[in-house]
Amino acid sequence: VLDGARAHGGEPGAEKVLGESGGAAAGNRLLSLPPEAVREALARHVRILVHAPGSTLFEAEDVVDTLVFPAEGTVLSLLVPTPGAKPVESTMVGSEGAAGAVLGPIPVPAMVRCEVLVGGRAIHIPASDFHAAIASAPGVARALMARYAAALVGNLHQAVACAALHPVEARAGRWILSAQDRLGSRAAVPMTQEVLADRLGVRRTTVTRVIAQLEARGAIQHRRGRVHVLDRAALEATSCPCYAAQRRRLEAVHPDLYPRPGTEHPALAAAPLDDLTNKA
Ligand SMILES: [Zn+2]
């Protein structure tokens, strides 16, 4: 089921990942927010897997009965398959959130393919166990997950408007900013021109032109398959308002959910990005 995945340490790591101190460095922000009793209940059901970049966690139409919480530095891409064309990205998920059976415990066919954009660890929890723990949790935990699900759906609505209305340069800016937020603001974003073209659903020659424009503005530098953000304010000025709207939506779930620009992820300070992307 989990192509390209290998188990990482097994259950003994679960408490550390879900715990408050270990969680800050190695875990998932969304999972670190419920009360301690809920996290303890969940820790029994956790599997930690390491995913290689480019691997597929589930395909569209697969019946998904698991939630996947990317650990710090791991980024998943949700892709909409379209017959006769390459799949287009609807959103990306990092350590601020979860993919899979987010909306409820009933296994339903996935509407998207879930692919690993930046490799690393992810926390897997069976949907039945996760939603049972949340259902029996205090209202604050239930509200947290309901607000996250609402934010996720809101971001998908926004992505539809963005694709229909906004020029590719603005969408490219939004994509790079969103990826960088999930990696820590000083980390380079692993991104070939082909990957960005696929994610945005445009030709590669279009992406070549857009990257040249962003480089000419001094906003980014693209070299050896990585984007370095040189001037974040310039990149934000280029991006469409969808980026700020998506940030606001996730920040409304919980102020600590989404990494703020200028904050370094502790996990990345300890482990260079190359380690995370090449390990698996
Ligand atoms: Zn937009």
Side-chain angles (χ1 to χ4, degrees):
V1 175
L2 296 160
D3 176 36
R6 60 184 167 82
H8 187 268
E11 280 70 16
E15 258 176 65
K16 186 177 161 221
V17 169
L18 295 180
E20 230 147 353
S21 52
N28 173 285
R29 288 167 193 259
L30 184 60
L31 262 185
S32 74
L33 295 176
E36 194 178 347
V38 177
R39 285 182 290 139
E40 276 175 13
L42 289 173
R44 290 197 294 277
H45 306 292
V46 157
R47 275 195 315 155
I48 301 162
L49 302 176
V50 178
H51 298 287
S55 59
T56 299
L57 271 58
F58 53 83
E59 281 287 354
E61 304 297 331
D62 282 356
V63 175
V64 178
D65 57 2
T66 306
L67 282 89
V68 184
F69 298 85
E72 205 95 65
T74 304
V75 184
L76 307 177
S77 183
L78 302 186
L79 301 167
V80 184
T82 37
K86 290 187 171 181
V88 174
E89 184 178 87
S90 59
T91 191
M92 60 178 90
V93 176
S95 66
E96 84 291 344
V102 173
L103 298 179
I106 309 297
V108 290
M111 285 167 274
V112 290
R113 175 194 299 169
C114 180
E115 202 174 280
V116 180
L117 183 69
V118 182
R121 298 191 310 154
I123 300 145
H124 292 241
I125 304 178
S128 53
D129 297 321
F130 178 81
H131 289 291
I134 292 297
S136 62
V140 58
R142 293 201 303 277
L144 184 74
M145 284 311 296
R147 285 206 306 269
Y148 176 72
L152 194 61
V153 172
N155 282 352
L156 297 177
H157 288 311
Q158 183 108 38
V160 174
C162 186
L165 297 175
H166 294 148
V168 64
E169 188 185 18
R171 291 166 54 212
R174 186 195 64 148
W175 192 91
I176 295 167
L177 289 165
S178 299
Q180 197 200 28
D181 281 349
R182 288 166 171 84
L183 290 169
S185 66
R186 284 203 278 154
V189 177
M191 185 204 85
T192 61
Q193 292 194 4
E194 197 168 3
V195 162
L196 186 59
D198 287 354
R199 289 322 193 260
L200 299 178
V202 298
R203 290 171 187 276
R204 188 168 161 183
T205 49
T206 305
V207 161
T208 306
R209 172 177 56 78
V210 164
I211 287 176
Q213 285 168 349
L214 293 174
E215 285 187 331
R217 290 172 192 269
I220 65 164
Q221 185 181 54
H222 186 245
R223 78 168 39 161
R224 291 197 290 275
R226 277 162 192 270
V227 172
H228 300 264
V229 177
L230 304 180
D231 184 344
R232 199 180 159 96
L235 190 58
E236 286 186 19
T238 307
S239 166
C240 55
C242 301
Y243 168 70
Q246 295 193 344
R247 272 203 77 94
R248 281 197 303 275
R249 217 171 272 123
L250 283 167
E251 283 169 356
V253 177
H254 194 283
D256 292 334
L257 194 63
Y258 209 42
R260 295 201 150 274
T263 59
E264 185 92 33
H265 290 222
L268 289 166
L273 191 63
D274 286 324
D275 283 359
L276 290 169
T277 48
N278 296 335
K279 203 187 298 176

